[in-house]
Amino acid sequence: MANSKFEYVKGFEQATDWVLLPSTYIVVRVDGKGFTKFSEAHGFEKPNDKRALDLMNECAKAVLREFPVALAYGESDEYSFVLHKDTTLYGRRASKITSTITSCFTGNYVRLWPEFLPGTPLRCTPVFDGRAVCYPSLRVLRDYLAWRQADTHINNQVGAGICEAGAWRHTPVNSTTSFNNMCNRTPAKA
């Protein structure tokens, strides 16, 4: 379409592709849609199915290998991925960041399903939505993660933190020093 009379239509796309605020931490939260029914359809153990949680964690690791994520936090049917405040990923375009991270996570969920749930056919399509939110400071970002951690406890789910391209750790959100050190590291990918 380059240099054609139809080039003008690209302006409509650009007008709705919001750029996320500079110098803010970007959190992309990927969340399962209708996972109560999905879990029942696949016979997940309540309240926590280790196989399903391990699958979610492996999908998160795939996202960490593909994108410059500083920290990831998962619980139940959701994962939050924190990008450094100075990231320039996709020009900080919200739709591109959200869609590619969500797509990577979802694609890996389907691809890895047989490895983590052998003998359990995929009876319906797993669907994940995604959203990107900007947080202006480490304090507010820590409060966001504390909110997600509180939700973990409310839902009696196992929460886990992943940091720096797959190094596994349980993240104590209330530990300001360790949290600040983790979030201020140089990202694995620029």
Side-chain angles (χ1 to χ4, degrees):
M1 196 163 66
N3 298 321
S4 76
K5 68 178 183 175
F6 304 110
E7 184 78 19
Y8 78 95
V9 299
K10 193 165 187 166
F12 292 100
E13 184 178 305
Q14 292 167 338
T16 58
D17 196 6
W18 293 282
V19 174
L20 296 167
L21 291 171
S23 301
T24 59
Y25 294 95
I26 300 170
V27 175
V28 176
R29 189 165 77 233
V30 175
D31 193 2
K33 178 189 172 291
F35 256 65
T36 299
K37 282 184 175 181
F38 183 86
S39 298
E40 291 168 359
H42 294 92
F44 287 179
E45 294 176 23
K46 291 183 180 181
N48 301 302
D49 190 302
K50 182 175 178 353
R51 302 166 307 157
L53 292 175
D54 288 347
L55 173 57
M56 293 284 290
N57 290 336
E58 199 59 37
C59 294
K61 290 177 187 177
V63 170
L64 289 170
R65 286 188 292 271
E66 189 68 29
F67 300 96
V69 173
L71 176 107
Y73 183 82
E75 61 120 346
S76 185
D77 66 341
E78 73 174 52
Y79 246 97
S80 294
F81 299 97
V82 179
L83 302 175
H84 285 276
K85 64 182 179 178
D86 58 353
T87 188
T88 57
L89 181 66
Y90 301 125
R92 296 180 72 97
R93 292 182 358 243
S95 63
K96 185 80 169 189
I97 291 170
T98 304
S99 65
T100 55
I101 288 177
T102 304
S103 176
C104 179
F105 191 94
T106 305
N108 278 287
Y109 194 91
V110 172
R111 182 180 68 83
L112 295 169
W113 177 273
E115 182 180 330
F116 288 87
L117 289 107
T120 304
L122 198 52
R123 292 180 176 86
C124 52
T125 305
V127 176
F128 293 87
D129 65 64
R131 64 196 60 98
V133 179
C134 296
Y135 294 99
S137 68
L138 280 174
R139 182 189 60 76
V140 177
L141 177 59
R142 189 178 65 236
D143 288 349
Y144 165 80
L145 291 167
W147 170 53
R148 301 318 309 139
Q149 189 176 44
D151 196 55
T152 299
H153 293 294
I154 290 167
N155 292 324
N156 190 29
Q157 300 296 323
V158 177
I162 297 179
C163 182
E164 299 285 6
W168 184 261
R169 48 174 81 171
H170 204 61
T171 308
V173 174
N174 58 353
S175 173
T176 304
T177 303
S178 64
F179 179 80
N180 290 351
N181 289 339
M182 199 178 319
C183 289
N184 286 321
R185 288 187 191 146
T186 304
K189 288 183 179 180

